[in-house]
Amino acid sequence: MSLGAMQDWSMRVAHVIDHAAREAPDREIVTHWADGSETRTDWAGIHRDARKMAQALQALGLKKGDKVASLAMNHARHLVSWFGVAGMGGVLHTCNPRLFEDQLEYIVNHAEDRVMIYDAAFQPIIDKMRDKWPGVEHYICFDPPEEFDGVGFEDWIGEQDGDFEWLAVDERDPCMICYTSGTTGHPKGVQYEHRSTMLHAIAGLQPAAFNFSASSVMLPVVPMFHAASWGLPYAGAMAGIKFVFSAVNDPAVLDDLMKREGVTDSAGVPTVWLAHFHYADAKGIELPKLRAATIGGSAAPRFMIERLMKNGTRVQHAWGMTETSPIGTVGGPTADWDDLTFEQQVDKTMKQGRPIFGVELRTVDLDDPTKVLPRDGTSSGALHIRGPWVLKRYFKTDEDAIDAEGWFNTGDVAILHPDGTMQITDRTKDVIKSGGEWISSVELENAAVGHPAVAEAAAIGMYHPKWDERPVLFVVRKEGAECSAEEVVNFLSDKVAKWWLPDAVEFVDDIPHTATGKISKKDLRDRFGDYKLADA
Ligand code: ADP
């Protein structure tokens, strides 16, 4: 019984899909499949299939709290499983297919997944892993090939009638689990609750974040297995938007879909746009005219922001992490926006935006964490966050991952500006300490990729007897492009402080990446473990 005068209405994910089916039943959900075929459904169809799926899971004997794993790209059936699993009280564990085998083995066993639903494209992974996942009782393929002797998703849910009442779960019950890619040690599980998911999605709808309305047409390139696709499926359902999914990340397919399906919004990591630029330039075609592009996961470089903005696309540079559901900050027009020159607007968009309502940020001194830093636009320190969709405790651990005041230490280094804008300068473990002062490896890298011959760059600190560490910049040149180390340093000289300039520039064929496509400084450091600076 409620003590107040307002109705009881628990924050359950099932409300989201009920709402979409009621208010936007025929708004389309388009899928481009791995085999090139395309299908169309709508919110009413997703709602119907989610109920059938919930029944089908119960028929397999699954109970409230049981885990269902997915190993899949973005498509309508994956979307069905987001609502179908939560609706029967289950927990969907979206696995990243790019994880190393031992990580995949670990996370599926650690989560105690009972069912694995996967894309045919990942059949080789399934075949290899099956014996290592003793707890998985059922394997179901989302998009089985014609000759298939296993269980196909559509046939499996097709046996049910869809007459299903969502389970009345508690709003603090879990609905999804994601593991961080775990650059050191085992990946860590982050369990999202119905309530945290709902609050995060509602916050994501606002004009200062995804700015969704019924007219939005979103093509999320960010995978559904990466930090819940930034909560987009939930926020999109709340607004009744049209979704366009692609199970392949080929820029030719994405470009065509964006133009053909009237896509207004997209979201992805910076490398997605990089690939799109290369494709459009090679073909001599224009970029799609999107209203907004949300870019996050790693820092968006200047040339990317500039080009998209010149194309008439609002760039929403966002920051977050698996532990924060993931949205922490999003960049949108600030109070002074209309008075800024284009250059100043680009400068502002380079930073990672402002906290959306619900989360709080602070920075503390890197050497003395008891000292909270001012929001003065210059002090940089360890970034802390707290709020209802921020992790309190990793899955299956006994200890809280937050301090007594509820702050979660993100592992990022940031500057807070007086207008609330947050600027990531590094990760705590990647920041370069030279003569007692900090050098931002991220800023060095961002400046370096502005050079027309540079495809990718990574800066790491190398031991130096006098300065402790000095930056070395590893550079991958663009195909067929030439440039010398001296040219790179000259190019950087008016973009960063003089004492930040790298002591050496090394050209490499490739730079190692993590499973979420980010530069892996750890692997780079391992690879160059014996590296010595000329004066070290
Ligand atoms: P993983 O660590 O598993 O790759 P996450 O998505 O949780 O996955 O990574 C979160 C981290 O990504 C943040 O802590 C931050 O270092 C980095 N990051 C996210 N967004 C941005 C951004 N816009 N600019 C710079 N770094 C970012």
Side-chain angles (χ1 to χ4, degrees):
M1 250 291 257
S2 160
L3 297 176
M6 291 295 166
Q7 300 188 2
D8 289 321
W9 190 83
S10 71
M11 304 282 266
R12 280 193 271 130
V13 163
H15 288 308
V16 180
I17 190 61
D18 282 348
H19 175 85
R22 200 167 45 233
E23 308 303 334
D26 49 14
R27 198 76 172 118
E28 277 184 312
I29 314 288
V30 180
T31 301
H32 182 100
W33 294 93
D35 66 2
S37 62
E38 285 182 11
T39 55
R40 281 165 198 274
T41 178
D42 52 26
W43 285 113
I46 300 290
H47 188 235
R48 179 198 59 232
D49 289 352
R51 280 173 293 148
K52 288 185 176 185
M53 182 183 180
Q55 284 177 306
L57 287 168
Q58 282 192 339
L60 293 181
L62 264 78
K63 302 243 157 21
K64 183 169 172 257
D66 280 344
K67 314 282 190 298
V68 176
S70 68
L71 194 69
M73 299 301 286
N74 295 1
H75 49 69
R77 291 177 198 145
H78 204 178
L79 183 67
V80 166
S81 66
W82 281 43
F83 296 109
V85 174
M88 58 74 62
V91 182
L92 181 69
H93 172 200
T94 49
C95 302
N96 181 345
R98 293 182 208 125
L99 289 178
F100 296 118
E101 257 176 56
D102 58 339
Q103 292 178 320
L104 275 175
E105 176 179 349
Y106 174 82
I107 63 170
V108 170
N109 290 331
H110 186 257
E112 299 178 50
D113 297 328
R114 292 186 61 191
V115 179
M116 166 63 73
I117 317 183
Y118 64 96
D119 283 358
F122 303 128
Q123 186 72 51
I125 301 183
I126 298 292
D127 293 343
K128 224 188 267 174
M129 300 304 299
R130 238 181 149 115
D131 290 344
K132 298 181 179 162
W133 291 330
V136 178
E137 300 155 41
H138 307 278
Y139 287 84
I140 295 155
C141 183
F142 273 126
D143 55 343
E146 259 173 45
E147 300 286 308
F148 185 64
D149 59 4
V151 182
F153 185 80
E154 291 287 317
D155 291 343
W156 174 57
I157 65 166
E159 289 169 14
Q160 307 297 329
D161 60 9
D163 183 13
F164 183 81
E165 284 256 342
W166 303 125
L167 225 74
V169 293
D170 189 280
E171 59 181 31
R172 299 303 298 261
D173 278 333
C175 61
M176 191 176 252
I177 183 165
C178 283
Y179 281 75
T180 62
S181 61
T183 36
T184 51
H186 283 310
K188 291 189 226 155
V190 180
Q191 197 162 242
Y192 305 133
E193 299 169 352
H194 284 260
R195 175 175 177 268
S196 70
T197 301
M198 291 275 277
L199 290 171
H200 175 261
I202 294 170
L205 282 175
Q206 60 185 294
F210 294 128
N211 193 23
F212 278 156
S213 72
S215 71
S216 305
V217 182
M218 157 62 79
L219 192 162
V221 188
V222 53
M224 291 172 93
F225 57 76
H226 190 200
S229 204
W230 302 350
L232 289 164
Y234 302 113
M238 285 176 175
I241 71 168
K242 169 175 167 179
F243 267 117
V244 181
F245 292 115
S246 177
V248 282
N249 277 341
D250 176 354
V253 172
L254 299 180
D255 188 81
D256 174 53
L257 279 174
M258 283 177 180
K259 290 173 179 164
R260 195 154 44 80
E261 293 293 338
V263 171
T264 57
D265 292 75
S266 189
V269 295
T271 44
V272 166
W273 281 109
L274 211 57
H276 210 131
F277 289 175
H278 289 322
Y279 169 75
D281 293 344
K283 283 256 168 198
I285 55 173
E286 279 191 37
L287 290 175
K289 297 272 178 217
L290 301 187
R291 273 193 231 153
T294 305
I295 308 182
S298 45
R302 185 182 190 88
F303 73 90
M304 186 173 289
I305 292 170
E306 224 168 47
R307 183 158 174 189
L308 288 168
M309 281 173 63
K310 280 191 181 147
N311 195 43
T313 299
R314 166 172 143 170
V315 177
Q316 295 160 177
H317 191 185
W319 166 87
M321 54 200 310
T322 305
E323 286 88 337
T324 64
S325 292
I327 309 172
T329 61
V330 188
T334 44
D336 58 355
W337 191 253
D338 291 338
D339 302 325
L340 301 178
T341 62
F342 180 77
E343 285 303 304
Q344 288 169 326
Q345 290 179 345
V346 174
D347 282 344
K348 203 157 232 190
T349 310
M350 295 269 301
K351 304 186 173 76
Q352 279 76 2
R354 306 166 71 228
I356 54 172
F357 173 76
V359 291
E360 296 172 63
L361 298 179
R362 72 170 189 187
T363 50
V364 300
D365 194 280
L366 282 175
D367 295 320
D368 174 9
T370 61
K371 200 171 136 204
V372 178
L373 298 176
R375 298 171 165 235
D376 57 5
T378 52
S379 309
S380 94
L383 179 67
H384 291 184
I385 185 169
R386 65 179 177 194
W389 55 83
V390 175
L391 170 104
K392 182 162 124 193
R393 189 181 292 179
Y394 288 101
F395 181 53
K396 286 191 178 171
T397 59
D398 308 325
E399 251 175 68
D400 283 352
I402 53 175
D403 71 10
E405 293 171 317
W407 293 104
F408 174 73
N409 185 355
T410 64
D412 285 327
V413 185
I415 295 172
L416 294 177
H417 291 259
D419 72 351
T421 301
M422 191 273 284
Q423 178 185 0
I424 293 283
T425 56
D426 228 318
R427 278 193 164 190
T428 322
K429 52 189 184 306
D430 297 335
V431 73
I432 301 163
K433 198 165 194 179
S434 172
E437 299 284 344
W438 303 101
I439 296 175
S440 157
S441 66
V442 172
E443 267 185 64
L444 270 180
E445 291 155 9
N446 272 346
V449 290
H451 190 288
V454 175
E456 199 169 26
I460 54 177
M462 290 291 184
Y463 170 72
H464 189 281
K466 181 166 173 200
W467 303 109
D468 268 345
E469 280 185 338
R470 288 296 302 155
V472 173
L473 190 71
F474 293 87
V475 170
V476 180
R477 278 182 281 226
K478 281 190 190 152
E479 229 178 276
E482 280 303 322
C483 74
S484 65
E486 211 185 342
E487 272 166 35
V488 174
V489 176
N490 277 341
F491 178 79
L492 294 175
S493 60
D494 61 350
K495 294 174 184 68
V496 299
K498 197 157 186 295
W499 63 276
W500 281 29
L501 290 173
D503 279 25
V505 175
E506 302 292 344
F507 294 100
V508 288
D509 292 337
D510 72 293
I511 285 173
H513 290 97
T514 66
T516 45
K518 295 173 199 180
I519 291 173
S520 172
K521 300 270 173 88
K522 184 186 166 284
D523 289 334
L524 192 63
R525 273 190 283 266
D526 287 351
R527 199 189 281 182
F528 290 93
D530 302 332
Y531 187 92
K532 271 212 164 61
L533 284 165
D535 57 350

